[in-house]
Amino acid sequence: MQYKYLIHPLKEIIYQAGQRILEASKNFDKSKIIHKNTYDLVSYVDIETERFLIEELSKLFPDAGFIAEESHLQSNKDWNWIIDPLDGTTNFTRQLPSYAISVALAHKTEILIGVVYNIPLNEMFWAVKNNGAFLNDKTIKVSNNDFSNSLFVTGFSVSRFDKVEIHLNVVKQIITQTLGIRRLGAAAVDLCYVACGRLDGFFEWYLNPWDVAAGSLIAIEAGALVSDFSGQNNYLFGKEIVSAQPKVYQQLLQMIQNSTI
């Protein structure tokens, strides 16, 4: 299948979905927020956007299945769209400018296309495997900073808290040895910011495939190293991911590993 030719119509579908979200943000009804659990939010905007994406992507590639957050779809097909209709829902409900649509096309466990649209900044990050990474059609590359001159990003689970002390131990090491750490609230955006060199490394526990599928490909195509915390490739379904530019990847990974012993 000539999957690379899907990228242009895919970007248009995602742009349309993003504009619908942007329009919805102007008159968002906070009374309709749903709590998946105490701190994990979903809105009618997430649900409506996912419905739109599934409908349009089914036309674009009828043979592909879906792995999608809000519909709880878990296809067992060889080809699948992996969708997060609104990564950073809490940011969206508070009008913080870091929320995105994330869509990837996977063949089995191999990500071949990834698009992340950071809606409030109108930034569309995208990649096709072995064809580089782009931000609004301009090539992007990771940074080349030394560890002490690097800036990192992480996220914290809103439903699992058993790793908090370990997580904070890594954060403590980072903030005492580098330029610092950020918590932006949207993993897909975090990965893309590593890809374009705004940030040097990202790590997080308890993420799902739709959180990392598109962003991980974009990071890799921009020159980042991406793995699980053992340094292997089980980051798509393994609930843990580290992504960093090559100059700092090993030191960041070592910090994580030493903290989890």
Side-chain angles (χ1 to χ4, degrees):
M1 178 194 168
Q2 297 298 316
Y3 62 86
K4 65 179 66 176
Y5 299 110
L6 297 172
I7 187 63
H8 297 297
L10 173 61
K11 286 161 57 184
E12 181 57 33
I13 290 168
I14 292 172
Y15 178 78
Q16 290 176 21
Q19 295 312 296
R20 292 160 68 111
I21 290 174
L22 202 59
E23 187 62 29
S25 72
K26 297 175 183 177
N27 299 292
F28 179 69
D29 187 350
K30 290 186 178 181
S31 69
K32 295 183 179 179
I33 294 172
I34 302 166
H35 287 256
K36 288 192 273 189
N37 59 47
T38 306
Y39 305 112
D40 194 3
L41 308 182
V42 62
S43 73
Y44 60 91
V45 178
D46 299 65
I47 295 167
E48 291 173 1
T49 302
E50 185 168 286
R51 188 179 299 123
F52 171 80
L53 288 169
I54 290 173
E55 181 178 333
E56 295 302 314
L57 295 176
S58 294
K59 299 173 188 174
L60 183 61
F61 187 3
D63 292 334
F66 291 89
I67 298 173
E69 180 175 16
E70 308 308 341
S71 304
H72 307 292
L73 296 175
Q74 294 288 338
S75 166
N76 58 5
K77 293 185 176 181
D78 285 346
W79 289 90
N80 288 292
W81 295 107
I82 304 177
I83 300 174
D84 192 336
L86 184 52
D87 185 31
T89 299
T90 302
N91 285 350
F92 169 77
T93 65
R94 299 296 185 98
Q95 290 301 291
L96 297 171
S98 182
Y99 53 88
I101 297 170
S102 176
V103 177
L105 178 65
H107 182 247
K108 298 181 179 177
T109 60
E110 183 181 20
I111 306 300
L112 299 172
I113 296 176
V115 179
V116 174
Y117 183 33
N118 190 13
I119 299 162
L121 300 184
N122 194 31
E123 293 183 329
M124 187 167 290
F125 297 87
W126 60 277
V128 177
K129 187 169 184 177
N130 298 325
N131 283 269
F134 302 86
L135 166 53
N136 293 344
D137 297 330
K138 292 185 178 180
T139 301
I140 54 175
K141 294 290 184 183
V142 295
S143 62
N144 190 40
N145 298 312
D146 293 329
F147 197 83
S148 62
N149 197 38
S150 290
L151 187 63
F152 295 88
V153 64
T154 192
F156 293 87
S157 172
V158 297
S159 59
R160 294 283 299 274
F161 305 109
D162 56 300
K163 303 288 188 185
V164 170
E165 293 303 321
I166 295 170
H167 203 152
L168 291 176
N169 186 33
V170 180
V171 169
K172 180 180 178 181
Q173 293 179 72
I174 289 173
I175 64 175
T176 56
Q177 299 180 45
T178 71
L179 293 182
I181 195 162
R182 301 291 182 265
R183 201 281 200 212
L184 304 178
V189 176
D190 295 340
L191 285 161
C192 290
Y193 282 5
V194 172
C196 70
R198 294 174 185 170
L199 298 165
D200 296 274
F202 164 67
F203 68 100
E204 189 169 344
W205 280 266
Y206 299 129
L207 292 174
N208 294 297
W210 47 81
D211 297 310
V212 302
S216 62
L217 177 66
I218 294 165
I220 290 167
E221 289 295 317
L225 299 176
V226 180
S227 73
D228 58 26
F229 294 163
S230 66
Q232 302 303 308
N233 293 324
N234 189 28
Y235 54 84
L236 186 60
F237 295 100
K239 301 285 187 179
E240 57 186 41
I241 188 169
V242 55
S243 172
Q245 49 103 336
K247 209 166 183 179
V248 302
Y249 165 81
Q250 195 59 51
Q251 192 166 345
L252 176 60
L253 180 61
Q254 195 67 55
M255 280 184 174
I256 297 166
Q257 291 176 342
N258 290 344
S259 297
T260 56
I261 294 172

